Amino acid sequence: LPIKNINTPPGIYFLCKNLKIQYIGQAANVSNRVITHIQENLKDFDSVYFITCPINRLTTLESSLIRYFNPPLNKTCRNTPTQSDELLVNSLFNP
């Protein structure tokens, strides 16, 4: 099955290099978006992780994750993480 035919649910994805988050993004179909990143060859990464998320929550969750992790390739949301960002991230990764 060609990778371009793989459909994933909406979610937040993490482009990583040597297990360190380099970029966080959102997509209605994560696999299609990652394929685009590979084709563009603008971001250096060796692995991809993603979490599913309802479409209507993508922007809020992505912004919180970017503020919390501060990945080097994200140019937006460079603000200091808020307490709600920390609570959200902790609830996602430490259930």
Side-chain angles (χ1 to χ4, degrees):
L1 181 68
I3 194 165
K4 66 181 180 177
N5 293 336
I6 296 173
N7 290 317
T8 54
I12 305 297
Y13 61 92
F14 305 82
L15 303 181
C16 300
K17 178 77 173 188
N18 299 323
L19 297 177
K20 293 183 181 175
I21 299 171
Q22 300 299 305
Y23 182 81
I24 297 173
Q26 63 166 291
N29 183 315
V30 173
S31 62
N32 284 348
R33 184 65 183 113
V34 171
I35 289 168
T36 302
H37 281 296
I38 292 168
Q39 291 169 340
E40 292 172 342
N41 199 29
L42 297 175
K43 295 177 175 66
D44 186 23
F45 62 98
D46 59 16
S47 57
V48 178
Y49 301 90
F50 77 96
I51 54 175
T52 60
C53 177
I55 286 181
N56 64 339
R57 300 274 314 189
L58 285 173
T59 300
T60 302
L61 180 56
E62 178 193 34
S63 296
S64 290
L65 290 166
I66 291 170
R67 281 191 299 268
Y68 185 84
F69 288 108
N70 195 22
L73 298 180
N74 284 95
K75 305 222 183 337
T76 60
C77 301
R78 289 277 187 192
N79 301 333
T80 303
T82 64
Q83 185 175 12
S84 62
D85 293 334
E86 292 181 17
L87 290 171
L88 178 61
V89 171
N90 284 330
S91 71
L92 284 172
F93 297 106
N94 300 309

